[in-house]
Every structure is written in C-alpha cells, then in structure tokens.
PDB file of all heavy atoms in Angstrom:
ATOM      1  N   LEU A  11      17.372   1.755 -17.474  1.00  0.00           N
ATOM      2  CA  LEU A  11      17.711   0.390 -17.115  1.00  0.00           C
ATOM      3  C   LEU A  11      17.833  -0.406 -18.395  1.00  0.00           C
ATOM      4  O   LEU A  11      16.897  -0.433 -19.208  1.00  0.00           O
ATOM      5  CB  LEU A  11      16.628  -0.219 -16.215  1.00  0.00           C
ATOM      6  CG  LEU A  11      16.784  -1.704 -15.893  1.00  0.00           C
ATOM      7  CD1 LEU A  11      18.012  -1.928 -15.010  1.00  0.00           C
ATOM      8  CD2 LEU A  11      15.533  -2.234 -15.226  1.00  0.00           C
ATOM      9  N   ASP A  12      18.975  -0.991 -18.615  1.00  0.00           N
ATOM     10  CA  ASP A  12      19.196  -1.842 -19.773  1.00  0.00           C
ATOM     11  C   ASP A  12      19.258  -3.282 -19.293  1.00  0.00           C
ATOM     12  O   ASP A  12      19.758  -3.560 -18.204  1.00  0.00           O
ATOM     13  CB  ASP A  12      20.510  -1.481 -20.477  1.00  0.00           C
ATOM     14  CG  ASP A  12      20.517  -0.043 -20.981  1.00  0.00           C
ATOM     15  OD1 ASP A  12      19.444   0.546 -21.139  1.00  0.00           O
ATOM     16  OD2 ASP A  12      21.614   0.482 -21.227  1.00  0.00           O
ATOM     17  N   VAL A  13      18.750  -4.199 -20.091  1.00  0.00           N
ATOM     18  CA  VAL A  13      18.687  -5.599 -19.721  1.00  0.00           C
ATOM     19  C   VAL A  13      19.479  -6.416 -20.733  1.00  0.00           C
ATOM     20  O   VAL A  13      19.390  -6.181 -21.938  1.00  0.00           O
ATOM     21  CB  VAL A  13      17.214  -6.075 -19.692  1.00  0.00           C
ATOM     22  CG1 VAL A  13      17.117  -7.554 -19.383  1.00  0.00           C
ATOM     23  CG2 VAL A  13      16.410  -5.267 -18.711  1.00  0.00           C
ATOM     24  N   SER A  14      20.245  -7.381 -20.231  1.00  0.00           N
ATOM     25  CA  SER A  14      20.968  -8.318 -21.081  1.00  0.00           C
ATOM     26  C   SER A  14      20.403  -9.709 -20.837  1.00  0.00           C
ATOM     27  O   SER A  14      20.351 -10.167 -19.692  1.00  0.00           O
ATOM     28  CB  SER A  14      22.462  -8.285 -20.762  1.00  0.00           C
ATOM     29  OG  SER A  14      23.156  -9.223 -21.545  1.00  0.00           O
ATOM     30  N   LEU A  15      19.957 -10.374 -21.900  1.00  0.00           N
ATOM     31  CA  LEU A  15      19.342 -11.688 -21.810  1.00  0.00           C
ATOM     32  C   LEU A  15      20.136 -12.685 -22.641  1.00  0.00           C
ATOM     33  O   LEU A  15      20.388 -12.445 -23.819  1.00  0.00           O
ATOM     34  CB  LEU A  15      17.900 -11.643 -22.321  1.00  0.00           C
ATOM     35  CG  LEU A  15      16.975 -10.593 -21.689  1.00  0.00           C
ATOM     36  CD1 LEU A  15      15.649 -10.570 -22.417  1.00  0.00           C
ATOM     37  CD2 LEU A  15      16.791 -10.870 -20.219  1.00  0.00           C
ATOM     38  N   THR A  16      20.528 -13.803 -22.053  1.00  0.00           N
ATOM     39  CA  THR A  16      21.194 -14.871 -22.780  1.00  0.00           C
ATOM     40  C   THR A  16      20.116 -15.763 -23.379  1.00  0.00           C
ATOM     41  O   THR A  16      19.246 -16.261 -22.670  1.00  0.00           O
ATOM     42  CB  THR A  16      22.108 -15.684 -21.845  1.00  0.00           C
ATOM     43  OG1 THR A  16      23.071 -14.798 -21.272  1.00  0.00           O
ATOM     44  CG2 THR A  16      22.829 -16.778 -22.589  1.00  0.00           C
ATOM     45  N   VAL A  17      20.180 -15.962 -24.689  1.00  0.00           N
ATOM     46  CA  VAL A  17      19.106 -16.655 -25.407  1.00  0.00           C
ATOM     47  C   VAL A  17      19.653 -17.833 -26.212  1.00  0.00           C
ATOM     48  O   VAL A  17      20.838 -17.894 -26.534  1.00  0.00           O
ATOM     49  CB  VAL A  17      18.364 -15.677 -26.343  1.00  0.00           C
ATOM     50  CG1 VAL A  17      17.703 -14.559 -25.537  1.00  0.00           C
ATOM     51  CG2 VAL A  17      19.290 -15.091 -27.396  1.00  0.00           C
ATOM     52  N   ALA A  18      18.766 -18.753 -26.556  1.00  0.00           N
ATOM     53  CA  ALA A  18      19.157 -19.956 -27.299  1.00  0.00           C
ATOM     54  C   ALA A  18      19.505 -19.650 -28.751  1.00  0.00           C
ATOM     55  O   ALA A  18      20.391 -20.277 -29.327  1.00  0.00           O
ATOM     56  CB  ALA A  18      18.046 -21.001 -27.231  1.00  0.00           C
ATOM     57  N   ASP A  19      18.804 -18.680 -29.356  1.00  0.00           N
ATOM     58  CA  ASP A  19      19.020 -18.346 -30.763  1.00  0.00           C
ATOM     59  C   ASP A  19      18.898 -16.829 -30.904  1.00  0.00           C
ATOM     60  O   ASP A  19      17.797 -16.284 -30.938  1.00  0.00           O
ATOM     61  CB  ASP A  19      17.990 -19.060 -31.633  1.00  0.00           C
ATOM     62  CG  ASP A  19      18.153 -18.815 -33.122  1.00  0.00           C
ATOM     63  OD1 ASP A  19      18.673 -17.744 -33.520  1.00  0.00           O
ATOM     64  OD2 ASP A  19      17.746 -19.689 -33.897  1.00  0.00           O
ATOM     65  N   VAL A  20      20.044 -16.156 -30.978  1.00  0.00           N
ATOM     66  CA  VAL A  20      20.062 -14.693 -30.949  1.00  0.00           C
ATOM     67  C   VAL A  20      19.292 -14.083 -32.122  1.00  0.00           C
ATOM     68  O   VAL A  20      18.576 -13.095 -31.946  1.00  0.00           O
ATOM     69  CB  VAL A  20      21.514 -14.156 -30.860  1.00  0.00           C
ATOM     70  CG1 VAL A  20      22.289 -14.378 -32.132  1.00  0.00           C
ATOM     71  CG2 VAL A  20      21.531 -12.695 -30.462  1.00  0.00           C
ATOM     72  N   ARG A  21      19.380 -14.668 -33.303  1.00  0.00           N
ATOM     73  CA  ARG A  21      18.657 -14.128 -34.470  1.00  0.00           C
ATOM     74  C   ARG A  21      17.147 -14.274 -34.263  1.00  0.00           C
ATOM     75  O   ARG A  21      16.390 -13.342 -34.514  1.00  0.00           O
ATOM     76  CB  ARG A  21      19.097 -14.844 -35.742  1.00  0.00           C
ATOM     77  CG  ARG A  21      18.374 -14.415 -36.997  1.00  0.00           C
ATOM     78  CD  ARG A  21      18.585 -12.983 -37.421  1.00  0.00           C
ATOM     79  NE  ARG A  21      19.961 -12.726 -37.743  1.00  0.00           N
ATOM     80  CZ  ARG A  21      20.509 -11.522 -37.747  1.00  0.00           C
ATOM     81  NH1 ARG A  21      19.782 -10.461 -37.433  1.00  0.00           N
ATOM     82  NH2 ARG A  21      21.773 -11.347 -38.031  1.00  0.00           N
ATOM     83  N   ARG A  22      16.711 -15.445 -33.791  1.00  0.00           N
ATOM     84  CA  ARG A  22      15.278 -15.663 -33.543  1.00  0.00           C
ATOM     85  C   ARG A  22      14.760 -14.657 -32.519  1.00  0.00           C
ATOM     86  O   ARG A  22      13.699 -14.054 -32.708  1.00  0.00           O
ATOM     87  CB  ARG A  22      15.045 -17.088 -33.054  1.00  0.00           C
ATOM     88  CG  ARG A  22      13.579 -17.370 -32.681  1.00  0.00           C
ATOM     89  CD  ARG A  22      13.402 -18.705 -32.008  1.00  0.00           C
ATOM     90  NE  ARG A  22      14.012 -18.644 -30.674  1.00  0.00           N
ATOM     91  CZ  ARG A  22      14.045 -19.640 -29.830  1.00  0.00           C
ATOM     92  NH1 ARG A  22      13.532 -20.804 -30.153  1.00  0.00           N
ATOM     93  NH2 ARG A  22      14.600 -19.506 -28.639  1.00  0.00           N
ATOM     94  N   SER A  23      15.501 -14.453 -31.434  1.00  0.00           N
ATOM     95  CA  SER A  23      15.059 -13.527 -30.396  1.00  0.00           C
ATOM     96  C   SER A  23      15.017 -12.097 -30.896  1.00  0.00           C
ATOM     97  O   SER A  23      14.059 -11.366 -30.631  1.00  0.00           O
ATOM     98  CB  SER A  23      15.966 -13.636 -29.168  1.00  0.00           C
ATOM     99  OG  SER A  23      15.770 -14.879 -28.535  1.00  0.00           O
ATOM    100  N   ALA A  24      16.046 -11.670 -31.618  1.00  0.00           N
ATOM    101  CA  ALA A  24      16.072 -10.298 -32.152  1.00  0.00           C
ATOM    102  C   ALA A  24      14.890 -10.074 -33.092  1.00  0.00           C
ATOM    103  O   ALA A  24      14.222  -9.030 -33.024  1.00  0.00           O
ATOM    104  CB  ALA A  24      17.391 -10.031 -32.855  1.00  0.00           C
ATOM    105  N   THR A  25      14.618 -11.047 -33.928  1.00  0.00           N
ATOM    106  CA  THR A  25      13.485 -10.947 -34.852  1.00  0.00           C
ATOM    107  C   THR A  25      12.175 -10.872 -34.080  1.00  0.00           C
ATOM    108  O   THR A  25      11.296 -10.073 -34.406  1.00  0.00           O
ATOM    109  CB  THR A  25      13.488 -12.140 -35.821  1.00  0.00           C
ATOM    110  OG1 THR A  25      14.708 -12.111 -36.579  1.00  0.00           O
ATOM    111  CG2 THR A  25      12.301 -12.103 -36.761  1.00  0.00           C
ATOM    112  N   TRP A  26      12.033 -11.679 -33.027  1.00  0.00           N
ATOM    113  CA  TRP A  26      10.811 -11.684 -32.219  1.00  0.00           C
ATOM    114  C   TRP A  26      10.604 -10.318 -31.575  1.00  0.00           C
ATOM    115  O   TRP A  26       9.504  -9.751 -31.661  1.00  0.00           O
ATOM    116  CB  TRP A  26      10.892 -12.777 -31.155  1.00  0.00           C
ATOM    117  CG  TRP A  26       9.615 -12.975 -30.401  1.00  0.00           C
ATOM    118  CD1 TRP A  26       8.571 -13.782 -30.739  1.00  0.00           C
ATOM    119  CD2 TRP A  26       9.240 -12.336 -29.164  1.00  0.00           C
ATOM    120  NE1 TRP A  26       7.576 -13.694 -29.796  1.00  0.00           N
ATOM    121  CE2 TRP A  26       7.955 -12.819 -28.816  1.00  0.00           C
ATOM    122  CE3 TRP A  26       9.863 -11.422 -28.331  1.00  0.00           C
ATOM    123  CZ2 TRP A  26       7.286 -12.404 -27.673  1.00  0.00           C
ATOM    124  CZ3 TRP A  26       9.202 -11.006 -27.184  1.00  0.00           C
ATOM    125  CH2 TRP A  26       7.932 -11.494 -26.861  1.00  0.00           C
ATOM    126  N   TYR A  27      11.619  -9.766 -30.921  1.00  0.00           N
ATOM    127  CA  TYR A  27      11.477  -8.458 -30.268  1.00  0.00           C
ATOM    128  C   TYR A  27      11.156  -7.365 -31.288  1.00  0.00           C
ATOM    129  O   TYR A  27      10.402  -6.439 -31.006  1.00  0.00           O
ATOM    130  CB  TYR A  27      12.724  -8.108 -29.461  1.00  0.00           C
ATOM    131  CG  TYR A  27      12.741  -8.750 -28.098  1.00  0.00           C
ATOM    132  CD1 TYR A  27      13.305 -10.008 -27.906  1.00  0.00           C
ATOM    133  CD2 TYR A  27      12.168  -8.119 -26.996  1.00  0.00           C
ATOM    134  CE1 TYR A  27      13.298 -10.618 -26.656  1.00  0.00           C
ATOM    135  CE2 TYR A  27      12.157  -8.714 -25.747  1.00  0.00           C
ATOM    136  CZ  TYR A  27      12.724  -9.963 -25.581  1.00  0.00           C
ATOM    137  OH  TYR A  27      12.702 -10.560 -24.349  1.00  0.00           O
ATOM    138  N   HIS A  28      11.720  -7.480 -32.472  1.00  0.00           N
ATOM    139  CA  HIS A  28      11.477  -6.492 -33.525  1.00  0.00           C
ATOM    140  C   HIS A  28      10.065  -6.632 -34.105  1.00  0.00           C
ATOM    141  O   HIS A  28       9.303  -5.669 -34.139  1.00  0.00           O
ATOM    142  CB  HIS A  28      12.532  -6.637 -34.617  1.00  0.00           C
ATOM    143  CG  HIS A  28      12.324  -5.744 -35.783  1.00  0.00           C
ATOM    144  ND1 HIS A  28      12.435  -4.372 -35.703  1.00  0.00           N
ATOM    145  CD2 HIS A  28      11.995  -6.019 -37.069  1.00  0.00           C
ATOM    146  CE1 HIS A  28      12.194  -3.839 -36.884  1.00  0.00           C
ATOM    147  NE2 HIS A  28      11.907  -4.831 -37.727  1.00  0.00           N
ATOM    148  N   GLU A  29       9.713  -7.839 -34.539  1.00  0.00           N
ATOM    149  CA  GLU A  29       8.446  -8.031 -35.240  1.00  0.00           C
ATOM    150  C   GLU A  29       7.237  -8.108 -34.319  1.00  0.00           C
ATOM    151  O   GLU A  29       6.170  -7.604 -34.647  1.00  0.00           O
ATOM    152  CB  GLU A  29       8.520  -9.282 -36.118  1.00  0.00           C
ATOM    153  CG  GLU A  29       9.483  -9.105 -37.272  1.00  0.00           C
ATOM    154  CD  GLU A  29       9.570 -10.329 -38.165  1.00  0.00           C
ATOM    155  OE1 GLU A  29       8.866 -11.332 -37.907  1.00  0.00           O
ATOM    156  OE2 GLU A  29      10.368 -10.280 -39.123  1.00  0.00           O
ATOM    157  N   VAL A  30       7.387  -8.730 -33.162  1.00  0.00           N
ATOM    158  CA  VAL A  30       6.250  -8.921 -32.261  1.00  0.00           C
ATOM    159  C   VAL A  30       6.004  -7.694 -31.401  1.00  0.00           C
ATOM    160  O   VAL A  30       4.856  -7.281 -31.199  1.00  0.00           O
ATOM    161  CB  VAL A  30       6.458 -10.179 -31.377  1.00  0.00           C
ATOM    162  CG1 VAL A  30       5.380 -10.296 -30.323  1.00  0.00           C
ATOM    163  CG2 VAL A  30       6.497 -11.437 -32.250  1.00  0.00           C
ATOM    164  N   LEU A  31       7.070  -7.073 -30.891  1.00  0.00           N
ATOM    165  CA  LEU A  31       6.905  -5.970 -29.951  1.00  0.00           C
ATOM    166  C   LEU A  31       7.223  -4.600 -30.532  1.00  0.00           C
ATOM    167  O   LEU A  31       6.885  -3.586 -29.934  1.00  0.00           O
ATOM    168  CB  LEU A  31       7.776  -6.212 -28.705  1.00  0.00           C
ATOM    169  CG  LEU A  31       7.449  -7.487 -27.931  1.00  0.00           C
ATOM    170  CD1 LEU A  31       8.398  -7.637 -26.753  1.00  0.00           C
ATOM    171  CD2 LEU A  31       6.001  -7.504 -27.479  1.00  0.00           C
ATOM    172  N   GLY A  32       7.920  -4.546 -31.660  1.00  0.00           N
ATOM    173  CA  GLY A  32       8.196  -3.255 -32.282  1.00  0.00           C
ATOM    174  C   GLY A  32       9.503  -2.602 -31.885  1.00  0.00           C
ATOM    175  O   GLY A  32       9.724  -1.422 -32.164  1.00  0.00           O
ATOM    176  N   PHE A  33      10.400  -3.341 -31.219  1.00  0.00           N
ATOM    177  CA  PHE A  33      11.732  -2.799 -30.930  1.00  0.00           C
ATOM    178  C   PHE A  33      12.475  -2.580 -32.242  1.00  0.00           C
ATOM    179  O   PHE A  33      12.252  -3.294 -33.220  1.00  0.00           O
ATOM    180  CB  PHE A  33      12.543  -3.781 -30.075  1.00  0.00           C
ATOM    181  CG  PHE A  33      12.244  -3.725 -28.610  1.00  0.00           C
ATOM    182  CD1 PHE A  33      11.096  -4.302 -28.095  1.00  0.00           C
ATOM    183  CD2 PHE A  33      13.123  -3.097 -27.734  1.00  0.00           C
ATOM    184  CE1 PHE A  33      10.820  -4.256 -26.743  1.00  0.00           C
ATOM    185  CE2 PHE A  33      12.860  -3.055 -26.375  1.00  0.00           C
ATOM    186  CZ  PHE A  33      11.706  -3.636 -25.879  1.00  0.00           C
ATOM    187  N   THR A  34      13.359  -1.598 -32.269  1.00  0.00           N
ATOM    188  CA  THR A  34      14.236  -1.429 -33.421  1.00  0.00           C
ATOM    189  C   THR A  34      15.558  -2.132 -33.139  1.00  0.00           C
ATOM    190  O   THR A  34      15.990  -2.230 -31.990  1.00  0.00           O
ATOM    191  CB  THR A  34      14.505   0.060 -33.730  1.00  0.00           C
ATOM    192  OG1 THR A  34      15.124   0.668 -32.595  1.00  0.00           O
ATOM    193  CG2 THR A  34      13.229   0.793 -34.079  1.00  0.00           C
TER     194      THR A  34
END
C-alpha cells in the first residue's frame, strides 16, 4: 500500500519523514 499526501511544504515534510522516522 502506497500513500500520497498533499503537504504545505514538500521539503519540510520529506526532511521530517527522513530525520524523525528514518524513511529514505
């Protein structure tokens, strides 16, 4: 299952998922 999320700031969100949760 893949999820697509519309976000206010794509760079901020990508950084959050990477740094906070460990996504690559």
Side-chain angles (χ1 to χ4, degrees):
L11 173 68
D12 299 340
V13 177
S14 178
L15 306 173
T16 301
V17 298
D19 182 332
V20 70
R21 177 64 63 201
R22 176 189 70 181
S23 291
T25 299
W26 188 87
Y27 278 90
H28 176 67
E29 292 180 1
V30 173
L31 300 178
F33 278 77
T34 60

